Amino acid sequence: MAVLLLAYCFPYSGNLVTAERIRTFLEDDGHRCTRKCTTDFDGCKELWEFIRTNDIKCILAINAYRTGHLLIDCPVPFILVFGGTDLNERTSSPESMDLMTATVNNARFLVCFSMEIKQQALRLWPHVVDKIHIQSQGVCTYASTSTALSDVMTDYRSTDLGSCSCGCTDSLDNSTQVFLLVCGLRPVKDPLYLLQTFSEWHEDDRRVLLVIVGPEMNQDYTRKVKQVISRCTGILLLPPLPQGDLHTLMKHSCCVVNSSLSEGMSGAILEAMALEVPVIARNIAGNAAIITHNETGLLFSTPEWFCSEESCTVLDGNEFHKTID
Protein backbone atom coordinates (compact mmCIF):
# COMPACT_ATOMS: atom_id res chain seq x y z
CA MET A 1 0.00 0.00 0.00
CA ALA A 2 1.22 3.52 -0.77
CA VAL A 3 1.22 5.53 2.47
CA LEU A 4 2.02 9.20 3.01
CA LEU A 5 3.59 9.98 6.39
CA LEU A 6 2.84 13.65 7.07
CA ALA A 7 4.53 15.54 9.92
CA TYR A 8 6.35 18.76 10.75
CA CYS A 9 9.92 17.49 10.37
CA PHE A 10 12.29 20.14 11.70
CA PRO A 11 15.86 18.85 11.24
CA TYR A 12 17.14 16.83 14.22
CA SER A 13 13.84 17.22 16.10
CA GLY A 14 12.17 14.45 18.07
CA ASN A 15 9.24 14.67 15.68
CA LEU A 16 11.53 13.85 12.76
CA VAL A 17 13.07 10.90 14.61
CA THR A 18 9.61 9.54 15.40
CA ALA A 19 8.39 10.01 11.83
CA GLU A 20 11.45 8.33 10.36
CA ARG A 21 11.14 5.38 12.73
CA ILE A 22 7.50 4.87 11.71
CA ARG A 23 8.39 5.19 8.03
CA THR A 24 11.11 2.55 8.35
CA PHE A 25 8.74 0.19 10.17
CA LEU A 26 6.05 0.54 7.49
CA GLU A 27 8.52 -0.05 4.68
CA ASP A 28 9.96 -3.09 6.44
CA ASP A 29 6.39 -4.39 6.59
CA GLY A 30 6.08 -4.14 2.81
CA HIS A 31 4.37 -0.78 2.35
CA ARG A 32 5.59 2.04 0.13
CA CYS A 33 5.88 4.92 2.57
CA THR A 34 6.78 8.50 1.64
CA ARG A 35 7.63 10.94 4.43
CA LYS A 36 6.82 14.59 3.74
CA CYS A 37 7.08 17.69 5.91
CA THR A 38 4.00 19.88 6.27
CA THR A 39 6.06 22.77 4.89
CA ASP A 40 6.45 20.89 1.58
CA PHE A 41 2.87 21.85 0.73
CA ASP A 42 1.47 25.37 0.40
CA GLY A 43 -2.07 24.13 0.92
CA CYS A 44 -4.62 21.38 0.43
CA LYS A 45 -4.60 21.53 -3.37
CA GLU A 46 -0.87 20.80 -3.52
CA LEU A 47 -1.34 17.88 -1.14
CA TRP A 48 -4.24 16.53 -3.19
CA GLU A 49 -2.14 16.68 -6.35
CA PHE A 50 0.67 14.79 -4.61
CA ILE A 51 -1.83 12.15 -3.47
CA ARG A 52 -3.17 11.75 -7.01
CA THR A 53 0.17 11.58 -8.83
CA ASN A 54 1.70 9.17 -6.30
CA ASP A 55 -1.36 6.95 -5.95
CA ILE A 56 -1.44 7.47 -2.16
CA LYS A 57 -4.04 5.24 -0.53
CA CYS A 58 -3.93 6.61 3.02
CA ILE A 59 -2.16 9.17 5.20
CA LEU A 60 -0.55 8.78 8.62
CA ALA A 61 -0.41 12.28 10.13
CA ILE A 62 1.47 13.29 13.29
CA ASN A 63 0.15 16.20 15.39
CA ALA A 64 -3.44 17.39 15.02
CA TYR A 65 -2.49 21.07 14.85
CA ARG A 66 0.56 20.87 12.59
CA THR A 67 -1.16 18.71 9.96
CA GLY A 68 -4.77 19.77 10.38
CA HIS A 69 -4.80 22.61 7.84
CA LEU A 70 -3.71 20.19 5.11
CA LEU A 71 -6.25 17.49 5.96
CA ILE A 72 -9.39 19.56 5.42
CA ASP A 73 -11.60 17.59 2.97
CA CYS A 74 -8.79 15.05 2.54
CA PRO A 75 -9.65 12.74 -0.40
CA VAL A 76 -8.14 9.61 1.20
CA PRO A 77 -8.56 8.06 4.68
CA PHE A 78 -6.09 9.25 7.29
CA ILE A 79 -4.91 8.16 10.72
CA LEU A 80 -4.00 10.90 13.19
CA VAL A 81 -1.23 10.39 15.75
CA PHE A 82 -1.33 12.85 18.64
CA GLY A 83 2.00 14.48 19.38
CA GLY A 84 2.64 16.62 22.44
CA THR A 85 2.22 20.27 21.59
CA ASP A 86 -1.15 19.72 19.93
CA LEU A 87 -2.79 18.54 23.16
CA ASN A 88 -0.57 20.38 25.64
CA GLU A 89 -0.03 23.78 24.04
CA ARG A 90 -2.73 24.44 21.43
CA THR A 91 -5.98 23.66 23.19
CA SER A 92 -6.23 27.09 24.83
CA SER A 93 -6.68 28.77 21.44
CA PRO A 94 -10.26 28.64 20.05
CA GLU A 95 -8.98 28.79 16.47
CA SER A 96 -6.56 25.92 17.06
CA MET A 97 -9.24 23.88 18.79
CA ASP A 98 -11.64 24.38 15.87
CA LEU A 99 -8.98 23.14 13.45
CA MET A 100 -7.97 20.17 15.60
CA THR A 101 -11.58 19.21 16.29
CA ALA A 102 -12.34 19.06 12.57
CA THR A 103 -9.19 16.97 12.03
CA VAL A 104 -10.06 14.60 14.88
CA ASN A 105 -13.63 14.19 13.62
CA ASN A 106 -12.51 13.37 10.08
CA ALA A 107 -9.76 10.93 11.04
CA ARG A 108 -10.46 7.23 10.44
CA PHE A 109 -8.46 6.31 13.57
CA LEU A 110 -6.67 8.20 16.34
CA VAL A 111 -3.42 6.97 17.91
CA CYS A 112 -1.94 7.90 21.30
CA PHE A 113 1.47 6.92 22.64
CA SER A 114 0.22 6.50 26.22
CA MET A 115 -2.88 6.15 28.38
CA GLU A 116 -2.28 9.66 29.71
CA ILE A 117 -2.45 11.10 26.19
CA LYS A 118 -5.57 9.08 25.43
CA GLN A 119 -7.31 10.34 28.54
CA GLN A 120 -6.32 13.89 27.68
CA ALA A 121 -7.75 13.53 24.17
CA LEU A 122 -10.97 12.00 25.46
CA ARG A 123 -11.49 14.89 27.85
CA LEU A 124 -11.48 17.16 24.81
CA TRP A 125 -13.36 14.88 22.41
CA PRO A 126 -15.27 12.22 24.38
CA HIS A 127 -17.27 11.17 21.31
CA VAL A 128 -14.20 9.61 19.62
CA VAL A 129 -13.82 6.83 22.18
CA ASP A 130 -14.55 4.09 19.61
CA LYS A 131 -11.78 5.07 17.23
CA ILE A 132 -8.95 6.02 19.59
CA HIS A 133 -6.15 3.54 20.27
CA ILE A 134 -2.91 3.33 22.27
CA GLN A 135 0.28 2.34 20.48
CA SER A 136 3.37 2.66 22.65
CA GLN A 137 6.47 4.15 21.07
CA GLY A 138 9.54 2.13 20.27
CA VAL A 139 13.07 3.46 19.88
CA CYS A 140 16.26 2.46 18.09
CA THR A 141 19.68 3.18 19.56
CA TYR A 142 23.10 3.27 17.90
CA ALA A 143 25.64 3.90 20.67
CA SER A 144 29.28 2.96 20.22
CA THR A 145 30.80 1.02 23.11
CA SER A 146 34.43 1.93 22.43
CA THR A 147 34.45 5.74 22.18
CA ALA A 148 35.62 7.73 25.22
CA LEU A 149 33.79 10.81 26.49
CA SER A 150 36.66 13.08 25.45
CA ASP A 151 36.52 11.65 21.92
CA VAL A 152 32.80 12.30 21.61
CA MET A 153 33.09 15.85 22.93
CA THR A 154 36.27 16.88 21.07
CA ASP A 155 34.61 17.18 17.66
CA TYR A 156 32.06 19.66 19.03
CA ARG A 157 34.04 21.68 21.58
CA SER A 158 35.11 24.18 18.91
CA THR A 159 31.55 25.54 18.74
CA ASP A 160 30.89 28.90 20.44
CA LEU A 161 29.56 27.41 23.68
CA GLY A 162 31.12 23.94 23.42
CA SER A 163 33.70 24.48 26.16
CA CYS A 164 33.59 25.97 29.64
CA SER A 165 35.27 29.29 30.42
CA CYS A 166 36.55 27.95 33.76
CA GLY A 167 38.76 25.43 31.95
CA CYS A 168 37.10 22.32 33.36
CA THR A 169 36.49 20.92 29.87
CA ASP A 170 40.17 20.98 28.90
CA SER A 171 40.69 17.50 30.35
CA LEU A 172 37.54 15.40 30.41
CA ASP A 173 37.97 12.04 32.15
CA ASN A 174 36.05 9.39 34.06
CA SER A 175 35.45 11.76 36.98
CA THR A 176 33.41 14.13 34.80
CA GLN A 177 29.69 13.86 35.56
CA VAL A 178 27.73 14.81 32.44
CA PHE A 179 24.07 15.70 32.83
CA LEU A 180 22.76 15.54 29.27
CA LEU A 181 19.76 17.65 28.28
CA VAL A 182 18.52 16.75 24.78
CA CYS A 183 16.02 19.29 23.48
CA GLY A 184 15.21 21.72 20.72
CA LEU A 185 15.79 25.31 21.80
CA ARG A 186 12.23 26.57 22.20
CA PRO A 187 10.19 27.78 25.18
CA VAL A 188 8.19 24.57 25.77
CA LYS A 189 11.42 22.64 26.40
CA ASP A 190 12.52 25.26 28.96
CA PRO A 191 16.29 24.62 29.07
CA LEU A 192 16.66 27.90 30.98
CA TYR A 193 14.92 26.33 33.99
CA LEU A 194 18.05 24.69 35.39
CA LEU A 195 20.89 26.92 34.20
CA GLN A 196 21.48 29.29 37.11
CA THR A 197 21.13 26.69 39.85
CA PHE A 198 23.26 24.16 37.98
CA SER A 199 25.98 26.76 37.36
CA GLU A 200 26.08 27.50 41.10
CA TRP A 201 26.45 23.76 41.75
CA HIS A 202 29.32 23.62 39.25
CA GLU A 203 31.11 26.38 41.15
CA ASP A 204 31.15 24.04 44.16
CA ASP A 205 31.88 20.85 42.20
CA ARG A 206 33.80 21.28 38.94
CA ARG A 207 33.16 17.64 37.97
CA VAL A 208 29.50 18.28 37.05
CA LEU A 209 28.60 19.55 33.59
CA LEU A 210 25.22 20.26 32.04
CA VAL A 211 25.48 19.56 28.31
CA ILE A 212 22.57 20.79 26.17
CA VAL A 213 22.24 19.23 22.72
CA GLY A 214 19.61 20.15 20.15
CA PRO A 215 18.52 22.25 17.18
CA GLU A 216 17.77 25.97 17.24
CA MET A 217 14.00 25.88 16.70
CA ASN A 218 13.13 29.39 17.87
CA GLN A 219 15.66 32.10 17.01
CA ASP A 220 14.59 34.67 19.62
CA TYR A 221 14.58 32.05 22.35
CA THR A 222 17.91 30.62 21.14
CA ARG A 223 19.55 34.04 21.50
CA LYS A 224 18.24 34.28 25.05
CA VAL A 225 19.56 30.81 25.93
CA LYS A 226 23.00 31.61 24.50
CA GLN A 227 23.16 34.89 26.40
CA VAL A 228 22.44 33.13 29.69
CA ILE A 229 24.91 30.30 29.01
CA SER A 230 27.65 32.78 28.12
CA ARG A 231 27.40 34.16 31.66
CA CYS A 232 27.43 30.74 33.34
CA THR A 233 30.08 28.14 34.03
CA GLY A 234 29.46 24.42 33.85
CA ILE A 235 26.98 24.70 30.96
CA LEU A 236 27.80 23.61 27.41
CA LEU A 237 25.64 24.04 24.32
CA LEU A 238 26.32 21.64 21.45
CA PRO A 239 24.71 21.54 18.01
CA PRO A 240 22.48 18.61 17.04
CA LEU A 241 24.49 15.39 16.93
CA PRO A 242 24.10 12.41 14.61
CA GLN A 243 22.11 9.69 16.35
CA GLY A 244 25.17 7.48 16.87
CA ASP A 245 27.16 10.28 18.54
CA LEU A 246 24.17 11.36 20.62
CA HIS A 247 23.53 7.87 21.94
CA THR A 248 27.23 7.37 22.65
CA LEU A 249 27.22 10.62 24.63
CA MET A 250 24.19 9.32 26.53
CA LYS A 251 26.15 6.21 27.50
CA HIS A 252 28.94 8.40 28.86
CA SER A 253 26.54 10.58 30.86
CA CYS A 254 25.59 10.04 34.49
CA CYS A 255 22.00 10.76 33.46
CA VAL A 256 19.76 12.18 30.76
CA VAL A 257 17.74 15.24 31.77
CA ASN A 258 14.32 16.54 30.74
CA SER A 259 13.21 20.03 31.86
CA SER A 260 10.18 20.52 29.60
CA LEU A 261 7.05 22.43 30.56
CA SER A 262 5.02 19.77 28.74
CA GLU A 263 5.67 16.55 26.83
CA GLY A 264 3.70 14.00 24.87
CA MET A 265 6.22 11.19 25.23
CA SER A 266 9.88 12.17 25.19
CA GLY A 267 11.92 10.16 22.70
CA ALA A 268 15.15 11.12 24.49
CA ILE A 269 13.86 9.63 27.75
CA LEU A 270 12.90 6.39 25.99
CA GLU A 271 16.29 6.21 24.26
CA ALA A 272 18.09 6.73 27.58
CA MET A 273 16.03 3.97 29.18
CA ALA A 274 16.81 1.64 26.27
CA LEU A 275 20.51 2.40 26.79
CA GLU A 276 20.13 1.77 30.57
CA VAL A 277 21.11 5.37 31.38
CA PRO A 278 19.41 6.97 34.42
CA VAL A 279 16.84 9.67 33.71
CA ILE A 280 15.95 12.70 35.79
CA ALA A 281 12.95 14.59 34.46
CA ARG A 282 10.70 17.44 35.40
CA ASN A 283 7.56 16.25 37.17
CA ILE A 284 4.96 16.88 34.47
CA ALA A 285 2.18 14.58 33.30
CA GLY A 286 3.93 13.35 30.14
CA ASN A 287 7.09 12.41 32.03
CA ALA A 288 5.26 10.90 35.00
CA ALA A 289 3.39 8.64 32.56
CA ILE A 290 6.63 6.80 31.70
CA ILE A 291 8.79 7.28 34.81
CA THR A 292 8.14 5.76 38.20
CA HIS A 293 9.93 7.99 40.70
CA ASN A 294 12.85 6.29 42.46
CA GLU A 295 12.34 3.14 40.40
CA THR A 296 12.79 3.82 36.69
CA GLY A 297 14.02 7.39 37.07
CA LEU A 298 13.71 10.54 39.12
CA LEU A 299 11.07 13.27 38.87
CA PHE A 300 11.96 16.74 40.12
CA SER A 301 9.82 19.83 40.72
CA THR A 302 12.47 22.48 41.47
CA PRO A 303 16.00 23.22 40.20
CA GLU A 304 17.17 23.11 43.81
CA TRP A 305 16.05 19.48 44.24
CA PHE A 306 17.62 18.58 40.90
CA CYS A 307 20.99 19.76 42.20
CA SER A 308 20.52 18.39 45.71
CA GLU A 309 22.53 15.74 47.51
CA GLU A 310 19.40 13.58 47.67
CA SER A 311 19.05 13.29 43.89
CA CYS A 312 22.78 12.62 43.44
CA THR A 313 22.70 9.91 46.11
CA VAL A 314 19.88 8.13 44.32
CA LEU A 315 21.63 8.42 40.94
CA ASP A 316 24.81 6.93 42.40
CA GLY A 317 23.06 4.07 44.17
CA ASN A 318 23.55 0.52 42.93
CA GLU A 319 19.96 -0.41 43.71
CA PHE A 320 18.64 2.39 41.52
CA HIS A 321 20.81 1.28 38.59
CA LYS A 322 19.53 -2.30 38.94
CA THR A 323 15.94 -1.12 38.40
CA ILE A 324 16.71 0.29 34.94
CA ASP A 325 18.78 -2.68 33.73
Side-chain angles (χ1 to χ4, degrees), residues 8 10 39-40 51 58 70 143 158 174 253 257-258 266 271 284 305:
Y8 178 64
F10 194 92
T39 58
D40 292 336
I51 290 171
C58 70
L70 293 173
S158 60
N174 291 337
S253 300
V257 178
N258 180 289
S266 168
E271 289 166 354
I284 56 174
W305 193 91

Side-chain angles (χ1 to χ4, degrees), residues 30-313:
H31 301 287
R32 177 167 62 86
C33 185
T34 303
R35 175 176 56 79
K36 299 291 282 185
C37 182
T38 52
T39 58
D40 292 336
F41 303 104
D42 289 333
C44 296
K45 290 185 178 179
E46 276 197 17
L47 174 63
W48 296 347
E49 180 62 20
F50 181 86
I51 290 171
R52 185 186 64 81
T53 57
N54 290 274
D55 195 28
I56 299 297
K57 299 302 183 185
C58 70
I59 296 175
L60 183 61
I62 301 175
N63 193 297
Y65 176 77
R66 288 287 193 180
T67 60
H69 66 290
L70 293 173
L71 297 172
I72 299 170
D73 298 323
C74 183
V76 296
F78 67 89
I79 298 170
L80 177 64
V81 181
F82 289 112
T85 55
D86 47 3
L87 296 181
N88 295 327
E89 303 296 320
R90 297 293 182 177
T91 55
S92 60
S93 163
E95 294 81 6
S96 297
M97 270 300 293
D98 287 345
L99 174 62
M100 292 194 294
T101 297
T103 308
V104 166
N105 287 340
N106 292 330
R108 181 70 60 88
F109 297 106
L110 303 167
V111 176
C112 306
F113 289 142
S114 70
M115 177 59 73
E116 191 274 337
I117 297 173
K118 178 180 178 179
Q119 291 171 342
Q120 194 173 353
L122 287 176
R123 285 193 292 269
L124 296 168
W125 303 287
H127 61 283
V128 302
V129 63
D130 291 334
K131 65 176 183 179
I132 193 167
H133 304 273
I134 296 175
Q135 177 61 61
S136 300
Q137 282 204 85
V139 293
C140 300
T141 57
Y142 309 96
S144 166
T145 57
S146 58
T147 309
L149 173 63
S150 58
D151 295 332
V152 181
M153 297 286 288
T154 296
D155 291 340
Y156 304 101
R157 281 176 53 203
S158 60
T159 58
D160 289 343
L161 298 170
S163 58
C164 187
S165 59
C166 73
C168 66
T169 52
D170 293 343
S171 56
L172 299 171
D173 55 33
N174 291 337
S175 68
T176 304
Q177 299 293 301
V178 172
F179 291 73
L180 180 62
L181 173 55
V182 182
C183 68
L185 300 186
R186 52 185 176 133
V188 70
K189 298 301 182 181
D190 202 15
L192 290 171
Y193 184 61
L194 295 171
L195 298 194
Q196 189 59 49
T197 304
F198 194 96
S199 184
E200 292 170 2
W201 183 20
H202 176 77
E203 291 295 324
D204 294 331
D205 187 349
R206 293 298 175 90
R207 297 174 303 165
V208 298
L209 284 176
L210 179 63
V211 179
I212 304 171
V213 177
E216 300 178 1
M217 301 183 71
N218 179 305
Q219 293 306 310
D220 289 340
Y221 189 75
T222 295
R223 280 193 292 271
K224 185 177 181 181
V225 170
K226 288 182 175 180
Q227 288 171 359
V228 174
I229 292 177
S230 68
R231 299 192 296 268
C232 293
T233 58
I235 317 290
L236 307 186
L237 177 62
L238 302 187
L241 308 186
Q243 285 283 288
D245 287 355
L246 178 62
H247 294 158
T248 301
L249 183 53
M250 283 185 179
K251 289 289 287 184
H252 286 286
S253 300
C254 70
C255 70
V256 168
V257 178
N258 180 289
S259 62
S260 296
L261 290 167
S262 69
E263 285 283 0
M265 181 173 284
S266 168
I269 289 179
L270 296 180
E271 289 166 354
M273 288 177 164
L275 291 167
E276 300 180 358
V277 177
V279 173
I280 179 167
R282 197 168 181 170
N283 191 4
I284 56 174
N287 291 341
I290 55 176
I291 295 172
T292 302
H293 184 62
N294 277 345
E295 293 184 15
T296 57
L298 299 181
L299 296 169
F300 70 94
S301 298
T302 67
E304 290 74 22
W305 193 91
F306 177 92
C307 298
S308 70
E309 182 177 348
E310 180 183 356
S311 66
C312 294
T313 299

